[in-house]
């Protein structure tokens, strides 16, 4: 990398490190605590001139308790009217209260709740509650699991949250099973995730990126055990603090964490007709230090796929009709292992470190029978047996530091090293009249590694404002080595001269800086605006020379606003996002596992830019929560698939990628959550949007011609859960996706449903669960039709995914409650176009991993 690049990256990151020094300006007026968190529209305090204050201490040690939550309730109607949080000395004050009768409730993890009743305030009166003692409820417990009892779906200022820990059907599954149930998201039968119809999303795990996600979102989700997921956050309008990547938005998967003192070990096991799993997760914490260790393994088997394909192509006036059938099966072993450490350097400083290792060994076997019918020649019948391997090992190492000056004023430094070694190979035996005629082999090995350093600072200004700024440097290197070999039935493999071996080396370094400002008015309006600049340096080459992709910079604005009135919240949002190409789109490897559907990347792709708009409305109507969001998404210079008949392989369709497309989408997401009783709730959700797509194809004259397509995409689902006495619970979920519009045709829809029951026993020390998926049908069919000026293709994919799972959980160890500590923030790379998306092609094998 040139010296100028290093200087620019170093300058931006250095400025972010020095930023806390220049940000220590005075904070004026009143309490040090804002009454409503900046970024929310929750400040609904009845305005007046009265005041309530006090200080909170531990009843045993008489020491101040910091960060205690204080809520002010009206005695008349029982409604919460104001609240705050105690400072680091245990002091608090609630000001500008109207005259009336009130009660105050204090709560904090590790202590019993306390209510101070019968507080009467006259106009202008100041009431000092004095020193308030909270009694610790710390005691030795036998296998206590601390879980939240919040709503299954919650909406926060900038995100929607699905509380997955309440999902009893998840045991034995993976993250894909959870994401299928999250409103706004759709997950197809292969595990490809879309947000409002876009697969250009960023997926984070505990606010952290990973090279495992860069390879394929669909494959990565299979490595995350569903029962270790606490919640899923869907961020549709990211602020400037987030990386500019991901035109559709951000999905953040939050896993369960243990903040208890002592030693614990959880054992989870499951067995089913499609897969089995075993997980061990433990932790030890004493005093200021804590350790965690965990391991998860999952085996997938008995997965059958059948395909059929019929396509007609015309090259130089010769028409070829291809009919193909396929019988396939797949199996895999997935593992995820982690070791973590955290240490409280002081009460306002913490250090966190961790090492994670993920492994994926996935194999796919498919037998293809192909009949070619070409004008003027006899029919040609051939068979092809393909064995494909998708193997990877991923290592993530992070060290993070957090310094909290006072509530909401903090500075963090985060580092992350991530590496993914990927092998994506296939071997094919070609038969004619049941005789082996030749063999083919495609080898593709890739290494994706990156190092990230970032610093963030935030500080409140007065009582109703928040300032955030920071910087980041990302250093990435991706290498991909590929070769195509052929051999006689009994001979050695030799290089194929028409498809030579090659190397791709891709350096991508990013320097970024951002600033964000939040302002909340007295009338409960909240405005959050931000600006982010990212400069990308690219140095790419293949064995044929340097690839012509230049450096580029992008300025990314974002604006979010909200207003709350009478239980209704209205939100407006605008942001601009950048979508960098992933390696599957860049990789020039000639992937011909199915010679009728060939893919080859384009190393000269440039990023695409998307403008997003949204208007949201949410309201509580008695026991029903309703949310409706209307959105628009406009992308020009989009990375689009270009399909055309091969001029050398009869009947084959070759797919590559170019920056030629326009993608516009306008639609709505609606969902409702209904609490029928305190133990039974159910909900419905629907996603409807209209999309227009524009791109190019090659016409009969060999010249590029513009094509377009448009249509309506619809999906939706219903879910229900119930808890009963004696530890029994039940849950059901169903989802249906309609036809999806593509540039050159449409992809058929599919359905998915599951039901489950769970029984807890031995004082919740153990549980036994049973879940069933798609048990009323033998298989699902996905029908796809593609058309262009030179070819027509109709394909059907049959997925056999009827499944049953029996799960068992047992908890070992004795724990005591401990007040949670603020842990260091971590690196958050939301940056790169994810793979694992797109159409399922009959017999096709995906490959490659993405530079992140």
């Amino acid at each position: 990398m040139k010296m100028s690049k290093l200087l620019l990256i170093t300058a931006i990151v250095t400025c972010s490190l020095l930023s806390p020094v220049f940000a220590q300006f005075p904070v004026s007026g009143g309490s040090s605590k804002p009454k409503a968190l900046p970024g929310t529209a929750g400040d609904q305090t009845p305005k007046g001139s009265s005041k309530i204050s006090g200080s909170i201490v531990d009843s045993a040690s008489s020491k101040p308790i910091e960060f205690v939550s204080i809520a002010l309730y009206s005695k008349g109607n029982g409604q919460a009217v104001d609240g705050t949080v105690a400072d680091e000395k245990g002091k608090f004050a609630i000001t500008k209260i109207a005259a009336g009768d009130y009660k105050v409730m204090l709560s904090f993890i590790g202590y019993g709740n306390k209510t101070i009743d019968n507080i009467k305030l006259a106009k202008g009166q100041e009431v000092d509650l004095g020193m308030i003692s909270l009694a610790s409820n710390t005691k030795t417990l036998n296998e206590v699991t601390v879980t939240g009892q919040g709503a299954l779906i919650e909406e926060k200022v900038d995100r929607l949250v699905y509380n997955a820990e309440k999902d009893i059907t998840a045991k034995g599954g993976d993250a894909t099973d959870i994401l299928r149930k999250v409103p706004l998201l759709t997950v197809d039968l292969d595990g490809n995730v879309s947000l409002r119809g876009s697969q250009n999303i960023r997926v984070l795990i505990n606010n952290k990126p990973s090279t495992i996600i860069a390879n394929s979102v669909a494959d990565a989700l299979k490595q995350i055990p569903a029962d270790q997921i606490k919640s899923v956050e869907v961020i549709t309008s990211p602020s400037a603090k987030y990386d500019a990547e991901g035109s559709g938005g951000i999905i953040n998967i939050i896993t369960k964490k243990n903040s208890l003192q002592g030693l614990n070990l959880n054992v989870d096991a499951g067995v089913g007709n499609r897969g089995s799993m075993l997980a061990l997760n433990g932790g030890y914490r004493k005093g200021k230090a804590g350790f965690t260790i965990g391991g998860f393994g999952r085996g997938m088997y008995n997965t059958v796929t059948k395909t059929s394909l019929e396509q007609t192509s015309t090259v130089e006036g010769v028409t070829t009709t291809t009919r193909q059938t396929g019988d396939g099966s797949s199996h895999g072993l997935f593992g995820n292992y982690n070791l973590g450490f955290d240490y409280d350097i002081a009460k306002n400083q913490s250090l966190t470190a961790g090492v994670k290792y993920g492994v994926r060994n996935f194999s796919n076997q498919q037998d293809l029978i192909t009949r070619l019918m070409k004008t003027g020649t006899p029919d040609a019948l051939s068979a092809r047996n393909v064995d494909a391997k998708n193997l990877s090992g991923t290592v993530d190492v992070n060290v993070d530091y957090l310094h909290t000056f006072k509530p909401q004023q903090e500075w963090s430094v985060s580092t992350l090293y991530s590496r993914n070694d990927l092998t994506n190979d296939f071997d094919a035996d070609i038969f004619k009249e049941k005789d082996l005629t030749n063999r083919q082999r495609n080898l593709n090995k890739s290494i994706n590694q990156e190092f990230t350093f970032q610093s963030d600072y935030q500080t409140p200004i007065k009582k109703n404002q928040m300032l955030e700024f920071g910087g980041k440097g990302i250093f990435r290197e991706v290498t991909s080595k590929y070769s195509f070999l052929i051999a006689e039935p009994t001979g050695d493999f030799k290089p194929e001269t028409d498809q030579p071996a090659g190397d791709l080396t891709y350096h991508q370094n990013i320097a970024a800086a951002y600033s964000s400002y939040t302002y909340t008015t007295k009338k409960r309006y909240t405005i959050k605006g931000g600006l982010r600049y990212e400069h990308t340096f690219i140095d790419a080459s293949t064995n044929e020379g340097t690839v012509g992709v230049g450096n580029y910079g992008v300025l990314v604005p974002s604006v979010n606003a909200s207003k709350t009135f009478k239980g209704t919240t209205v939100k407006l949002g605008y942001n601009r996002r950048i979508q960098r190409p992933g390696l599957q789109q860049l990789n020039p490897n000639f992937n011909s596992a199915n010679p009728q559907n060939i893919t080859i990347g384009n190393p000269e792709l440039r990023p695409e830019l998307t403008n997003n708009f949204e208007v949201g409305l949410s309201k509580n109507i008695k026991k029903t929560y309703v949310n409706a969001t209307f959105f628009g998404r406009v992308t020009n210079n989009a990375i689009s698939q270009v399909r055309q008949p091969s001029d050398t392989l009869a009947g084959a369709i070759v797919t590559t990628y170019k920056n030629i497309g326009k993608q516009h989408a306008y639609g709505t997401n609606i969902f409702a959550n209904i609490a029928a009783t305190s133990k039974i709730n159910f909900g419905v959700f629907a996603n409807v949007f209209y999309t227009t797509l524009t791109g190019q194809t090659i016409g009969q004259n060999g010249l590029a011609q513009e094509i377009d397509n448009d249509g309506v995409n619809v999906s939706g689902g219903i879910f229900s859960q119930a808890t009963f006495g004696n530890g029994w619970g039940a849950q059901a979920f169903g989802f249906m996706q309609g036809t999806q519009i593509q540039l050159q045709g449409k992809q058929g829809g599919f359905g998915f449903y599951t039901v489950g029951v769970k029984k807890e026993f031995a004082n919740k020390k153990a549980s036994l669960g049973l879940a069933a998926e798609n048990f009323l049908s033998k298989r699902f069919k996905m029908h796809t039709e593609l058309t262009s000026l030179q070819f027509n293709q109709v394909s059907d994919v049959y997925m056999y995914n009827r499944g049953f799972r029996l799960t068992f959980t047992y908890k070992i160890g004795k724990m005591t409650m401990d007040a949670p500590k603020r842990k260091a923030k971590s690196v958050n790379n939301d940056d790169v176009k994810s793979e694992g998306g797109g159409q399922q092609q009959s017999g096709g094998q995906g490959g490659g991993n993405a530079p992140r």
Side-chain angles (χ1 to χ4, degrees):
M1 181 172 53
K2 296 180 180 180
M3 182 60 66
S4 59
K5 302 177 185 177
L6 281 172
L7 289 175
L8 179 56
I9 295 177
T10 304
I12 292 178
V13 175
T14 302
C15 288
S16 71
L17 278 173
L18 295 177
S19 61
V21 177
F22 300 107
Q24 300 294 325
F25 47 83
V27 178
S28 61
S31 169
S32 61
K33 293 291 182 294
K35 296 178 182 177
L37 293 177
T40 74
D43 182 7
Q44 303 182 41
T45 309
K47 302 306 177 184
S49 57
S50 301
K51 176 181 176 181
I52 295 175
S53 61
S55 60
I56 307 167
V57 297
D58 186 291
S59 62
S61 65
S62 297
K63 293 182 178 180
I65 308 174
E66 58 186 8
F67 307 148
V68 175
S69 297
I70 299 99
L72 180 67
Y73 291 86
S74 170
K75 289 280 289 185
N77 55 22
Q79 295 294 317
V81 295
D82 203 353
T84 187
V85 180
D87 64 17
E88 62 273 13
K89 296 181 180 179
K91 295 181 179 181
F92 70 92
I94 305 175
T95 60
K96 297 182 180 180
I97 309 173
D101 296 336
Y102 299 95
K103 65 179 180 179
V104 170
M105 178 178 289
L106 300 91
S107 61
F108 191 59
I109 295 177
Y111 291 85
N113 292 344
K114 188 167 188 174
T115 301
I116 302 175
D117 214 338
N118 299 319
I119 301 174
K120 296 182 180 296
L121 287 178
K123 185 177 181 181
Q125 182 181 5
E126 295 186 7
V127 174
D128 187 351
L129 299 178
M131 190 173 295
I132 306 169
S133 298
L134 291 186
S136 172
N137 60 7
T138 301
K139 59 182 180 179
T140 300
L141 305 175
N142 290 323
E143 316 312 327
V144 172
T145 301
V146 181
T147 57
Q149 296 300 319
L152 184 66
I153 298 173
E154 297 179 81
E155 185 191 10
K156 297 187 177 180
V157 173
D158 60 345
R159 67 198 64 196
L160 179 143
V161 181
Y162 181 86
N163 291 310
E165 61 185 344
K166 301 186 70 176
D167 186 347
I168 67 175
T169 65
K171 287 286 184 181
D174 55 42
T176 303
D177 302 307
I178 295 294
L179 265 61
R180 281 196 175 100
K181 305 173 186 179
V182 179
L184 309 184
L185 303 181
T186 56
V187 184
D188 68 18
L189 295 178
D190 293 324
N192 302 312
V193 184
S194 300
L195 171 56
R196 292 174 174 171
S198 173
Q199 293 186 353
N200 298 337
I201 54 179
R202 293 305 307 137
V203 178
L204 308 175
I205 303 173
N206 295 325
N207 294 303
K208 301 177 184 179
S210 173
T211 53
I212 183 179
I213 299 292
N215 166 47
S216 167
V217 171
D219 289 342
L221 294 176
K222 294 181 175 67
Q223 295 182 225
I224 305 173
D227 52 311
Q228 290 300 311
I229 298 175
K230 182 179 185 294
S231 61
V232 177
E233 300 177 345
V234 182
I235 307 171
T236 57
S237 185
S239 70
K241 187 173 184 176
Y242 291 94
D243 288 349
E245 186 72 22
S247 61
I250 296 171
I251 299 173
N252 188 22
I253 299 173
I254 305 297
T255 59
K256 296 176 182 177
K257 295 182 179 179
N258 200 323
S259 62
L260 303 180
Q261 290 275 4
L263 175 68
N264 76 298
L265 178 65
N266 294 345
V267 181
D268 294 277
V271 62
N273 66 320
R274 303 288 182 190
S276 300
M277 57 81 66
L278 175 65
L280 299 173
N281 290 281
Y284 176 76
R285 184 172 184 86
K286 186 172 180 61
K288 296 183 177 181
F291 301 86
T292 59
I293 187 170
F296 167 80
R298 183 172 187 236
M300 188 176 70
Y301 46 79
N302 195 26
T303 302
V304 179
T305 303
K306 293 182 181 295
T307 62
S308 67
L309 168 73
E310 181 170 339
Q311 65 187 29
T312 301
S313 61
T314 302
V315 178
E316 297 180 352
V318 178
T319 299
T320 302
T321 299
T322 304
R323 291 195 177 100
Q324 185 184 81
T325 59
D327 290 284
S329 63
S330 59
H331 62 274
L333 292 173
F334 306 91
N336 201 321
Y337 314 96
N338 63 84
L339 176 65
F341 169 76
D342 64 85
Y343 182 75
D344 298 319
I345 302 172
K347 70 175 184 178
N348 62 342
Q349 298 180 63
S350 61
L351 186 69
T352 303
V355 179
K356 295 182 180 179
Y357 180 72
V359 60
R360 178 179 72 250
N361 294 324
F362 186 80
S363 300
N364 181 280
Q365 190 277 329
Q366 193 156 33
D367 297 335
L368 302 172
I369 298 177
T370 305
R371 180 183 295 274
L372 293 180
M373 294 163 282
K374 186 185 299 187
T375 304
T377 61
D379 293 356
L381 183 66
S382 64
R384 182 183 183 89
N385 297 342
V386 183
D387 287 306
K389 291 181 174 59
N390 193 327
L391 317 175
S392 75
T394 304
V395 177
D396 294 324
V397 182
N398 70 284
V399 179
D400 309 308
Y401 168 80
L402 175 67
H403 187 136
T404 301
F405 301 94
K406 62 182 181 180
Q408 300 188 66
Q409 184 183 18
E410 56 191 34
W411 170 51
S412 63
V413 177
S414 304
T415 63
L416 172 70
Y417 172 77
S418 189
R419 175 185 171 113
N420 184 14
D421 292 77
L422 176 70
T423 298
N424 198 340
D425 302 340
F426 77 80
D427 282 277
D429 293 335
I430 293 89
F431 296 86
K432 188 174 183 180
E433 303 296 337
K434 298 183 179 182
D435 295 326
L436 179 63
T437 58
N438 60 76
R439 295 174 292 152
Q440 296 178 348
R441 174 174 291 172
N442 183 207
L443 304 177
N444 188 194
K445 298 184 184 299
S446 303
I447 298 176
N448 184 355
Q449 56 185 337
E450 65 181 45
F451 175 76
T452 302
F453 179 87
Q454 76 177 55
S455 178
D456 299 284
Y457 180 78
Q458 67 176 41
T459 183
I461 306 173
K462 297 182 179 181
K463 301 178 182 180
N464 60 342
Q465 301 169 62
M466 176 72 80
L467 178 65
E468 302 172 276
F469 49 90
K472 172 186 284 190
I474 308 175
F475 307 88
R476 295 184 173 127
E477 181 184 68
V478 176
T479 59
S480 179
K481 298 180 181 296
Y482 52 92
S483 60
F484 196 89
L485 310 173
I486 58 173
E488 298 296 327
T490 58
D492 296 330
F493 280 99
K494 299 178 181 179
E496 168 62 72
T497 55
D498 293 336
Q499 301 171 26
D503 297 312
L504 172 67
T505 302
Y506 201 90
H507 290 98
Q508 184 186 80
N509 302 307
I510 301 170
Y514 75 91
S515 181
S516 177
Y517 172 74
T518 304
Y519 180 73
T520 302
T521 71
K522 295 180 179 180
K523 293 186 178 181
R524 293 168 286 167
Y525 288 93
T526 297
I527 300 175
K528 185 171 186 177
L531 199 61
R532 184 182 186 91
Y533 178 77
E534 293 189 357
H535 198 90
T536 303
F537 306 92
I538 294 180
D539 180 12
S541 63
T542 66
N543 56 315
E544 297 180 355
T546 301
V547 176
V549 181
N551 304 330
Y552 55 87
V554 60
L555 194 62
V556 183
S558 66
V559 179
N560 291 283
S562 65
K563 162 70 173 174
T564 299
F565 56 93
K566 297 181 180 180
T568 301
T569 299
V570 178
K571 297 195 295 186
L572 303 175
Y574 163 77
N575 63 79
R576 194 183 194 200
R577 309 291 288 169
I578 185 174
Q579 195 70 57
R580 298 181 179 91
L583 184 59
Q584 183 169 323
Q585 288 126 357
L586 296 166
N587 192 352
N589 178 44
F590 192 88
N591 192 323
S592 59
N594 182 351
Q596 306 312 123
N597 283 303
I598 298 168
T599 60
I600 183 170
N602 176 9
E604 298 186 3
L605 287 175
R606 294 187 61 81
E608 59 187 32
L609 293 174
T610 299
N611 292 305
N612 295 292
F613 310 84
E614 69 173 52
V615 178
L617 178 67
S618 60
K619 184 176 180 61
N620 281 298
I621 306 173
K622 294 183 179 181
K623 296 182 178 181
T624 302
Y625 174 73
V626 180
N627 174 278
T629 303
F630 304 90
F631 69 90
R633 185 172 61 243
V634 179
T635 304
N636 296 315
N637 195 39
I639 299 173
S640 299
Q641 291 183 335
V642 178
R643 299 183 178 95
Q644 64 186 76
S646 171
D647 54 4
T648 57
L649 299 174
I653 303 299
V654 179
T655 301
T656 188
Y657 305 88
K658 292 184 179 180
N659 290 105
I660 55 171
K662 296 181 180 180
Q663 300 176 1
H664 297 181
Y666 311 92
T668 182
N669 311 113
I670 301 173
F671 75 86
N673 191 17
I674 304 168
T677 69
S678 61
K679 296 184 177 181
I680 301 175
N681 75 288
F682 61 93
V684 294
F685 60 92
N687 307 309
V688 182
F689 65 94
Y690 173 78
T691 184
T692 61
L693 307 171
T694 303
Q696 291 180 0
T697 188
I698 305 300
Q700 298 286 356
N701 55 5
L703 301 177
Q705 296 186 12
E706 185 173 284
I707 59 174
D708 58 69
N709 197 11
D710 64 272
V712 177
N713 301 264
V714 180
S715 63
I718 185 170
F719 58 88
S720 179
Q721 65 175 11
T723 57
F724 308 104
N726 298 321
W728 284 97
Q731 191 172 58
F733 170 80
F735 173 79
M736 181 66 70
Q737 178 172 289
T739 299
Q740 302 295 294
I741 303 300
Q742 298 186 345
L743 176 61
Q744 291 176 281
K746 58 184 180 180
Q747 185 180 68
F750 65 92
F752 183 90
Y753 55 90
T754 179
V755 296
V757 295
K758 183 177 73 169
K759 173 68 169 72
E760 294 179 329
F761 51 91
N763 195 24
K764 295 188 177 182
K765 182 187 301 184
S767 67
L768 191 66
L770 178 65
E773 302 170 347
N774 309 312
F775 51 88
L776 297 178
S777 56
K778 184 179 180 181
R779 66 186 186 184
F780 279 130
K781 171 185 174 181
M782 185 179 292
H783 181 78
T784 300
E785 297 180 6
L786 300 176
T787 59
S788 80
L789 299 175
Q790 285 187 293
F791 74 91
N792 295 292
Q793 183 186 90
V794 177
S795 63
D796 293 314
V797 178
Y798 300 91
M799 307 293 291
Y800 293 78
N801 52 7
R802 176 188 287 171
F804 301 90
R805 292 197 304 266
L806 180 67
T807 60
F808 176 74
T809 300
Y810 189 75
K811 300 177 176 64
I812 303 170
K814 293 184 178 181
M815 307 297 296
T816 57
M817 292 296 296
D818 181 33
K821 303 292 183 181
R822 295 295 303 276
K823 299 307 175 190
K825 293 186 176 181
S826 58
V827 165
N828 181 5
N829 285 357
D830 326 298
D831 109 303
V832 130
K833 190 179 181 81
S834 59
E835 306 301 343
Q839 168 204 323
Q840 169 80 20
Q841 292 181 346
S842 174
Q845 307 294 334
N849 69 334
R852 314 190 62 250

